Amino acid sequence: MPSRVPSPSLSEQFYCNDSSSISSMSSRRHRYDHSSMSSRSSTSQDWSRPSFSFPLPPSQPPSSSRGRGLRSKPSKSTLTKTLSPPQPTIRSRTASFGKPRHHATPVVPAHDEIAFPVAYEDAWGSRYESADGRTDLDRARIFITRFISMSSNPWVNAELRDVITNRELCRTVAHVAWAVMHRVFGNRHADFGVTPLVQAMRFILIKANIPAEVDVCEKARQVVDFFFDPTLHRNLEPLPCEELVVYKYPVGRLRVCIVGGGPTGLASAISLAEKGGGMIEVHVWERRWVRDERTGEVGYPPNARRRDQVVTLQDSVTDLLTPKSFQALFAGRPERVWPGSANIQIRKVEDRFLKRCQDGDLRGLIHLHAEGVTREELKNGKCGDFHVLLGTDGAASWVRRDYFRGYEKERGRSYALGLAFDRGSVGGLPWSQPLNMFLTLGQTRYLLNASDHDGKGYLNMQLTEDEWHKMVGVDGEPVHFGSPGCFRREDGSIPEGFTENRVFKPSEHRDSSLWKSIEDGLKLFGFKESEVINVVRIPIVVQAVREGVQQLPLEDSRFVRRPHALVAVAGDAAMTVHFWPGRGLNSGIKAGIAFGDELVHALNRGEFAGLPLSSMKHYNDFILKLQDREHDKRSIPILNQSGTPETLDWLLKQASSVPDNVAIDWLVGAMTQIADRLEQREDWYFKPEINVEAQIRIVLRQMHSLTLREMAVSFPWPTREMAGAEVLPCRSAKSEPPETSKKAEQKWLQQLWGIISKEPSAERRPRLPGSASGGSSGRFEAPRFTVPTLRSKSPSPKLRNGGFVDEKQRPPMPMGHPLMAQQGMGLGSSSGSPPGSLRRCNASKRVGSISSLPVPSEFGAVEAGAMGGRQRSVSVNTGAQGQEARSDGGLTRLMSVKRQPNQTMLCEAMALALFGVGE
């Protein structure tokens, strides 16, 4: 066989110290593995990246101090840096041939480590570390020269040689790396893999300690972000089969582009910046902003149309914020209204989160752009480079429309109007916040969310299809957020900022039924017509995407500096909800915090290497879990009850058959029982209201008879169906101290024992946490204890119209008597219930004649707990308390199924199950 000229090992080549030795050695035969490289972005030339295997370095004489010394400490050139130098560790791997030098087992670097052959460490020039006097720049030039000698690509070699010989390009190590980044790589990675040139440049940057200079040198920041891109793989595959020198991987910044600067977008940016530890750079684009040329700060122009709605932020959500962000959100003054929550105007959330983004500790991490972005502009490079695109651009999101084509069909639709009001110098609200809550929860026709701090807020009213089409100005154009309507002043003039065409048309026809409903809505909460600043119609569409994360299409990735990017959605762009339960902004902030949590978690674990969809799997799971909670447990119960235009229209048509006294007693009973229940909660913020029933009756007395009946048939809020564990980002959720949890558990057990000993009946026994019918617990559900509150029963009520003080005084009623229908809904009493009381109905006992109402099998029966039933909370006295009852039939069951019953059946159900209809 012919003799083979041995190839020089990597160590032999890197131990040469002058160019003549390099030239002579490069003439010897070499063996390489070649891989194709993509063309530079500036040219169409194809070129190949050199790739080679790393043989073992040559053995050294025992007297040599080179090997042992180098393996025990880093080179002097590294130790003499003023900044903390990187500290390598030496690990051995088994070669594919022969025996390992030190009998070491194979070692695979961790996800946050980068490994080089120990020959790299030796070749950096440490052989003469005490006498050669070379700088890091000198060593980098020699290192690249040696790389050139091993590369077979003439174009790459020519570019590298020109860089290291050009004095302008070769002023510092950072300048050398910057020139290589642009001239050789074209400032773009063709794939997520690692090439020898990338690995060689990484070693140079680490040895010169360039990652420590990113805060003072812009070029250092750019080259570190490029060569240590978090989406690139850390090491060559396969690893060299020899001793390795291992360093901590100095991860470059991950760039996130956020389209939409509303509360969700700002919460996402803050979450990323606070948790990213400087490793994440966020760019937020919003067309409503303007930049102050004097200060450079971003804000809203004075004449901008802002969202005046007041929303309720749950404590479980705001507790996820950092102390600085919580303080910024509420300015140290949260307004407690609903239990476990605080009210705040949306525009204040936007203003305060926007200010927080520009705080000193977040400067340089969050970049605000006072302009919008379209898909075409994104494709043309307006947003520059990014790894992840997050769409938080609202319910009409173009990000969702263009990038999430598997977009789910809407699950339900509702219509509403919104009256924005501002009480100005008067301030505050006409009624107390507790009374406003009782009036709101006792029906679902009207909804008030307002702030008692400044007297601003929104009054909403659910609309039928016919009413929706009447929400227009005098010019016939619909009134909406982009072009709201207005009311005339008392003197007939038009408010400032509006034209004659924008006058709300129904306000010009005071005898119309729609105007009377609006007028009564204002009376219900004590507002004057002059305090309304605009009126809009609001479509409520319950819908969501099937997946929360996708891969950005390749045609939109031309300006992305790697093969592709990811795109995600949050807030209304990911899911829209029925705002009656008030969870839209809560869901958006939770999604923004979860996005920051999961992105940082994946980044810290190196899961972004290759930028797979699986790197954001946990965020996608959270979005789907949140959709299930907010849609199935909150929005759908409202839609099933009275939210859809068709259902609301049918209910309002039946309202004319309801006697006035029954409608009033129904509303007063529901509201007073709600008051009794809420005021006994441990997290109730207010003092108990005095004479609640009297206050409610005074308020209702001002309203039209038909409006009262319409409110009655809309039913109280289905709070039972909407109850359950919150879905929270578990990485930010704060666990309760063990002592607090233990005390709550002991108290719960004591109260449970009290209930069991007094009421041994299984039908009335409360369910234990974790039972089959309870809420499911999952990865994102907040663990909590449900502590039942024991309350004394309120005094026995008196039925005001045709009722009796005592059950014994009631004579037997013939079948078909109006009070038989009332008894079916709890107006009468059985099983010891106080007469005239309408129960919250969460038990399973059948009461009265409603249980015998036949339900056709074609509609199906809804099992207890599956849809939560349609239990109604009604009472005719203050705080009526007694046995709870639930009807398994009638309208309650019919309204729980998706198919629309026929008119006859619904009429019979209403007549028998809800109200007493006179003969």
Side-chain angles (χ1 to χ4, degrees):
M1 294 178 63
S3 62
R4 174 176 300 177
V5 178
S7 298
S9 69
L10 178 71
S11 301
E12 288 176 334
Q13 297 178 48
F14 273 41
Y15 290 155
C16 299
N17 293 307
D18 53 68
S19 58
S20 61
S21 300
I22 295 173
S23 300
S24 62
M25 186 167 291
S26 63
S27 64
R28 302 173 64 184
R29 291 182 59 191
H30 301 153
R31 290 167 56 184
Y32 303 93
D33 295 327
H34 298 283
S35 59
S36 62
M37 301 185 70
S38 68
S39 62
R40 297 174 57 190
S41 62
S42 58
T43 69
S44 59
Q45 180 181 1
D46 292 334
W47 51 285
S48 299
R49 295 176 177 174
S51 177
F52 46 84
S53 59
F54 295 90
L56 290 172
S59 59
Q60 300 298 318
S63 59
S64 172
S65 62
R66 181 175 73 84
R68 188 182 303 179
L70 283 174
R71 287 158 179 75
S72 61
K73 62 179 181 179
S75 65
K76 222 179 228 185
S77 62
T78 304
L79 295 176
T80 54
K81 298 290 292 184
T82 56
L83 298 172
S84 299
Q87 299 296 327
T89 58
I90 305 297
R91 299 180 186 173
S92 297
R93 287 183 58 82
T94 303
S96 57
F97 54 90
K99 296 181 179 180
R101 294 179 60 193
H102 301 292
H103 305 285
T105 56
V107 175
V108 178
H111 69 272
D112 59 345
E113 293 179 335
I114 183 170
F116 305 100
V118 76
Y120 273 25
E121 189 76 24
D122 296 338
W124 184 247
S126 53
R127 182 176 184 181
Y128 304 102
E129 59 182 348
S130 61
D132 61 9
R134 292 171 180 169
T135 64
D136 286 340
L137 179 59
D138 294 333
R139 298 177 190 278
R141 293 171 65 188
I142 294 173
F143 199 93
I144 293 175
T145 302
R146 291 169 178 162
F147 181 86
I148 293 172
S149 71
M150 301 173 63
S151 172
S152 63
N153 189 302
W155 181 84
V156 173
N157 293 344
E159 292 291 338
L160 292 175
R161 190 174 292 109
D162 187 54
V163 168
I164 61 177
T165 57
N166 189 319
R167 294 292 182 182
E168 289 298 320
L169 297 177
C170 196
R171 287 174 287 173
T172 66
V173 174
H175 281 78
V176 171
W178 188 87
V180 172
M181 177 180 76
H182 284 273
R183 297 189 58 170
V184 179
F185 290 95
N187 199 22
R188 191 177 192 277
H189 294 289
D191 53 52
F192 297 106
V194 179
T195 65
L197 180 55
V198 170
Q199 209 72 342
M201 294 306 302
R202 285 173 169 179
F203 182 78
I204 292 172
L205 293 172
I206 289 176
K207 295 302 292 184
N209 211 14
I210 298 302
E213 301 175 0
V214 295
D215 293 331
V216 295
C217 177
E218 180 57 30
K219 274 192 168 50
R221 165 56 70 190
Q222 293 180 24
V223 298
V224 169
D225 287 347
F226 181 81
F227 287 106
F228 297 99
D229 190 307
T231 64
L232 298 184
H233 292 286
R234 275 37 170 174
N235 297 287
L236 287 167
E237 295 180 2
L239 282 169
C241 296
E242 60 178 280
E243 276 191 311
L244 303 177
V245 56
V246 179
Y247 288 87
K248 199 78 171 177
Y249 188 82
V251 184
R253 293 177 303 181
L254 189 83
R255 288 185 174 87
V256 179
C257 176
I258 300 179
V259 178
T264 300
L266 295 174
S268 304
I270 294 170
S271 176
L272 290 167
E274 289 179 334
K275 299 167 184 175
M279 297 187 300
I280 300 176
E281 179 183 311
V282 187
H283 292 262
V284 188
W285 300 79
E286 174 55 59
R287 61 182 175 81
R288 296 178 295 160
W289 295 339
V290 294
R291 187 175 298 277
D292 190 322
E293 296 181 358
R294 182 175 56 87
T295 63
E297 292 194 348
V298 169
Y300 292 90
N303 59 348
R305 291 197 182 276
R306 306 291 304 282
R307 288 186 283 179
D308 298 297
Q309 299 101 310
V310 170
V311 295
T312 302
L313 292 181
Q314 305 298 125
D315 289 348
S316 61
V317 176
T318 55
D319 285 347
L320 302 173
L321 301 174
T322 62
K324 283 188 177 180
S325 295
F326 183 88
Q327 174 67 21
L329 176 61
F330 290 112
R333 193 187 175 201
E335 182 180 3
R336 297 292 177 186
V337 181
W338 303 86
S341 60
N343 274 16
I344 189 171
Q345 204 170 12
I346 291 182
R347 64 188 301 161
K348 291 182 180 178
V349 177
E350 293 177 330
D351 289 338
R352 293 170 181 177
F353 272 169
L354 188 58
K355 184 178 179 181
R356 170 66 181 139
C357 287
Q358 300 174 87
D359 281 351
D361 60 325
L362 301 183
R363 287 189 181 275
L365 302 176
I366 300 178
H367 303 269
L368 305 175
H369 303 271
E371 50 186 322
V373 175
T374 64
R375 182 180 183 182
E376 284 302 315
E377 291 172 331
L378 182 78
K379 292 169 68 173
N380 294 328
K382 184 174 183 177
C383 297
D385 179 39
F386 56 85
H387 298 85
V388 182
L389 175 70
L390 177 64
T392 60
D393 46 342
S397 168
W398 69 261
V399 175
R400 180 195 64 217
R401 182 189 67 238
D402 291 349
Y403 297 142
F404 291 80
R405 290 178 173 77
Y407 167 57
E408 187 183 31
K409 183 180 179 181
E410 67 181 60
R411 303 190 62 186
R413 179 180 292 266
S414 184
Y415 296 135
L417 67 79
L419 297 172
F421 56 84
D422 185 350
R423 305 200 73 212
S425 59
V426 177
L429 298 174
W431 315 147
S432 67
Q433 286 286 30
L435 184 58
N436 289 332
M437 276 186 278
F438 307 152
L439 295 171
T440 296
L441 291 174
Q443 44 79 43
T444 54
R445 174 70 156 164
Y446 300 99
L447 169 70
L448 176 69
N449 270 322
S451 171
D452 200 28
H453 285 174
D454 52 19
K456 297 179 180 179
Y458 241 68
L459 171 61
N460 299 106
M461 184 177 85
Q462 290 199 103
L463 301 175
T464 64
E465 184 89 25
D466 181 61
E467 292 172 333
W468 169 260
H469 294 298
K470 294 178 180 177
M471 295 289 296
V472 296
V474 294
D475 60 355
E477 292 297 320
V479 293
H480 50 79
F481 284 113
S483 180
C486 67
F487 298 162
R488 292 185 187 274
R489 295 193 178 112
E490 293 182 359
D491 59 2
S493 61
I494 308 298
E496 295 181 6
F498 293 92
T499 62
E500 182 76 25
N501 289 338
R502 291 289 82 197
V503 174
F504 188 49
K505 187 173 182 179
S507 68
E508 302 287 274
H509 304 278
R510 300 277 165 151
D511 293 332
S512 66
S513 58
L514 177 58
W515 175 253
K516 289 181 179 179
S517 297
I518 296 173
E519 190 178 45
D520 280 342
L522 293 171
K523 292 178 182 178
L524 179 64
F525 298 102
F527 296 111
K528 298 178 181 178
E529 186 181 329
S530 59
E531 295 168 346
V532 176
I533 56 178
N534 66 59
V535 55
V536 296
R537 70 180 193 179
I538 309 170
I540 306 173
V541 182
V542 179
Q543 58 189 7
V545 293
R546 295 185 185 274
E547 300 292 338
V549 184
Q550 294 290 337
Q551 184 174 304
L552 190 71
L554 294 180
E555 62 268 23
D556 292 2
S557 304
R558 288 191 302 123
F559 288 88
V560 174
R561 297 173 187 169
R562 56 206 61 81
H564 68 261
L566 298 182
V567 56
V569 284
D572 286 345
M575 53 178 285
T576 53
V577 300
H578 199 297
F579 66 76
W580 239 246
R583 299 302 177 119
L585 186 54
N586 286 275
S587 299
I589 293 177
K590 285 194 287 188
I593 293 173
F595 182 78
D597 284 347
E598 302 305 337
L599 190 144
V600 171
H601 178 73
L603 184 62
N604 290 336
R605 295 175 59 87
E607 295 175 0
F608 273 111
L611 209 57
L613 285 174
S614 59
S615 61
M616 294 298 294
K617 177 183 181 300
H618 293 319
Y619 174 72
N620 187 69
D621 292 344
F622 174 81
I623 288 295
L624 298 181
K625 186 74 175 177
L626 188 63
Q627 289 177 9
D628 178 69
R629 177 70 179 98
E630 299 303 328
H631 280 183
D632 295 341
K633 304 297 177 59
R634 287 199 171 96
S635 295
I636 301 303
I638 286 287
L639 287 172
N640 285 343
Q641 177 166 293
S642 62
T644 63
E646 298 80 12
T647 301
L648 182 63
D649 180 64
W650 180 85
L651 289 172
L652 298 187
K653 287 179 180 177
Q654 311 309 311
S656 58
S657 62
V658 178
D660 290 345
N661 62 307
V662 175
I664 292 175
D665 283 342
W666 178 283
L667 290 172
V668 172
M671 294 172 183
T672 52
Q673 188 176 1
I674 289 169
D676 183 51
R677 180 168 54 88
L678 289 179
E679 288 181 343
Q680 307 241 2
R681 287 179 55 141
E682 293 183 355
D683 55 355
W684 183 247
Y685 181 74
F686 305 95
K687 294 180 179 179
E689 285 286 309
I690 301 176
N691 297 325
V692 173
E693 181 179 348
Q695 293 186 62
I696 292 173
R697 288 188 179 277
I698 291 173
V699 170
L700 298 181
R701 193 176 298 135
Q702 309 172 55
M703 305 171 67
H704 292 93
S705 172
L706 181 58
T707 302
L708 293 174
R709 285 179 273 171
E710 291 176 347
M711 289 170 58
V713 298
S714 71
F715 306 118
W717 281 35
T719 53
R720 299 284 181 175
E721 289 94 327
M722 294 189 290
E726 294 294 332
V727 175
L728 299 174
C730 62
R731 302 192 198 281
S732 290
K734 301 176 179 64
S735 58
E736 292 184 356
E739 60 274 9
T740 304
S741 179
K742 188 173 182 180
K743 289 180 181 178
E745 182 180 358
Q746 291 175 349
K747 183 176 180 180
W748 182 85
L749 289 172
Q750 291 174 358
Q751 293 174 337
L752 177 63
W753 175 250
I755 295 175
I756 294 175
S757 13
K758 292 181 181 179
E759 301 181 16
S761 172
E763 292 181 353
R764 297 191 295 270
R765 193 169 297 156
R767 293 188 179 96
L768 294 174
S771 62
S773 59
S776 62
S777 61
R779 168 180 168 78
F780 300 106
E781 289 184 357
R784 75 176 191 182
F785 258 158
T786 303
V787 181
T789 304
L790 297 177
R791 298 172 296 165
S792 59
K793 294 183 179 181
S794 302
S796 298
K798 296 181 179 181
L799 191 60
R800 294 182 175 271
N801 294 286
F804 301 89
V805 176
D806 192 341
E807 173 75 11
K808 297 179 180 179
Q809 299 179 11
R810 187 184 66 175
M813 291 179 294
M815 196 57 120
H817 191 277
L819 286 183
M820 286 296 293
Q822 295 176 5
Q823 176 184 354
M825 288 302 294
L827 288 175
S829 178
S830 63
S831 302
S833 296
S837 62
L838 291 158
R839 298 294 157 234
R840 191 66 186 164
C841 50
N842 196 34
S844 58
K845 191 163 186 176
R846 298 184 179 183
V847 182
S849 60
I850 188 173
S851 60
S852 60
L853 180 68
V855 179
S857 58
E858 59 180 310
F859 295 115
V862 180
E863 296 181 1
M867 293 288 293
R870 181 72 71 246
Q871 296 91 19
R872 308 297 175 212
S873 171
V874 280
S875 175
V876 296
N877 71 301
T878 304
Q881 175 72 17
Q883 296 292 348
E884 294 180 338
R886 179 179 67 186
S887 168
D888 289 336
L891 187 70
T892 297
R893 294 178 64 188
L894 293 175
M895 296 297 291
S896 301
V897 296
K898 294 183 178 179
R899 292 185 57 184
Q900 183 73 16
N902 59 53
Q903 183 74 12
T904 303
M905 181 163 296
L906 287 173
C907 289
E908 291 176 354
M910 176 68 77
L912 292 174
L914 296 180
F915 308 106
V917 180
E919 297 177 351

